[in-house]
Amino acid sequence: MVDWNLAVATATRLVRPGPDVSRDEARAVVAELRRHAKASEGHVRGFTRMGTEEIHDTPVLVVDRPGWVRANVAGFREILRPLLEKMQERRGSNPGSAVLGAVGGKVTGVELGMLLSFLSSRVLGQYETFAPATRDLPAGENGGGRLLLVAPNIVHVERELDVEPHDFRLWVCLHEETHRTQFTAVPWLRDHLEGEIQSFLAETDVDPMTFLERIRDAAQSLVGGRPEGEEEDGGRSFVELVQTPAQREILGRLTAVMSLLEGHADYVMDGVGPSVVPTVAEIREKFQQRRAKGASRLDMALRKLLGLDAKLRQYRDGERFVRAVVEQVGVDGFNRVWTSPNTLPTKAEIAKPADWVARVHRKAES
């Protein structure tokens, strides 16, 4: 269904070159990011009061853009395996399925590579929750993930923003380390999230060729940008293009969880920042401006299609939720959110934090 090797090859061929740095500079950046990642563990755990024990099961990897592509293709391949096997079985009895499969797999591989080449220059860091270990990219044992820091992108953004490089690198590490803490300190979170994703994928009940056509339509929209005359908010994201109505309820729960995780990371990054990042106020202001304005019209169309505009809302709405809850019930009161899947906020509660406090705290106290 998907030629994964072709996806990697396509993305690697199309990926933009990183910023101009010497070999010695590159080595220094990698070494510093590793130091900051290690230092961030104590900062984040002290501030959040989560997971005070040492972490040995989740490696920190400093990668380039092709390395990020390879890691994400491995992750996609793992999480999409049940869906693709189901579609393969369904297609198997169709006449000419072998020929269609070979052609469709290569087309989809190229298109996935196009998407990943675009994203590979924009991601600063990522906690890979469902990462299988490979020869070049180790992952934690027993279901542990790995933390990726994309060195060329970090250098590119710190230069673009004209901020103090050492402070910016630590600031980024604080955000990503918070995600690492969330999944290592809350043992059930990974399985819960995977279960929701698999439930979402299990609801996909479309003809395989129709599914591939939807992906193709999404990729073609990426190449052409927004059609002439289309309203600013009239387009649909990639996820919306390939989902069915039955998946919307699951997607709502996933959106709430992702808003919580992203907002919590932003809140922690800002909370820890003043004590360890001297120029945090300048970095935050410039970074927020960069997030808000985007870039070209084509870039804005791509963000819309891929759902990146929704991710920006997750940062904003989730951070507001966390801040409001902490103001009402303190850090320990907020940490009840990690008790079980039943204490996670709903999508409606993300918008109305007082409703979550009323449901979780008043119910517990009554």
Side-chain angles (χ1 to χ4, degrees), residues 19-36 62-64 151-152 155 158-159 166 169:
D20 186 21
V21 296
S22 69
R23 182 169 297 181
D24 288 343
E25 287 175 316
R27 287 173 177 162
V29 170
V30 170
E32 183 173 23
L33 287 172
R34 287 176 176 154
R35 290 195 304 271
H36 284 331
V62 182
V63 298
D64 57 10
V155 172
E158 71 192 26
R159 290 179 178 179
H166 306 295
R169 295 166 194 174

Side-chain angles (χ1 to χ4, degrees), residues 2-5 72-82 84 132:
V2 181
D3 188 329
W4 299 106
N5 291 333
N72 276 266
V73 166
F76 286 149
R77 191 171 189 168
E78 184 71 18
I79 201 70
L80 292 175
R81 189 187 306 276
L84 295 180

Side-chain angles (χ1 to χ4, degrees), residues 231-307:
E231 295 298 324
E232 177 67 28
D233 59 353
R236 293 188 295 166
S237 74
F238 178 78
V239 172
E240 292 170 322
L241 282 170
V242 298
Q243 77 174 255
T244 63
Q247 294 168 313
R248 288 173 187 160
E249 183 178 346
I250 301 171
L251 189 61
R253 294 196 300 267
L254 280 169
T255 299
V257 174
M258 297 311 297
S259 296
L260 170 68
L261 299 180
E262 296 293 358
H264 184 232
D266 263 14
Y267 175 80
V268 172
M269 183 169 58
D270 288 345
V272 175
S275 62
V276 296
V277 182
T279 60
V280 64
E282 177 191 0
I283 291 172
R284 184 62 158 157
E285 181 181 359
K286 289 183 175 180
F287 196 77
Q288 288 287 60
Q289 290 173 355
R290 182 180 184 272
R291 270 184 184 172
K293 74 179 182 179
S296 66
R297 186 181 179 200
L298 175 59
D299 189 66
M300 293 173 65
L302 293 171
R303 291 194 337 190
K304 177 72 177 179
L305 181 61
L306 292 172

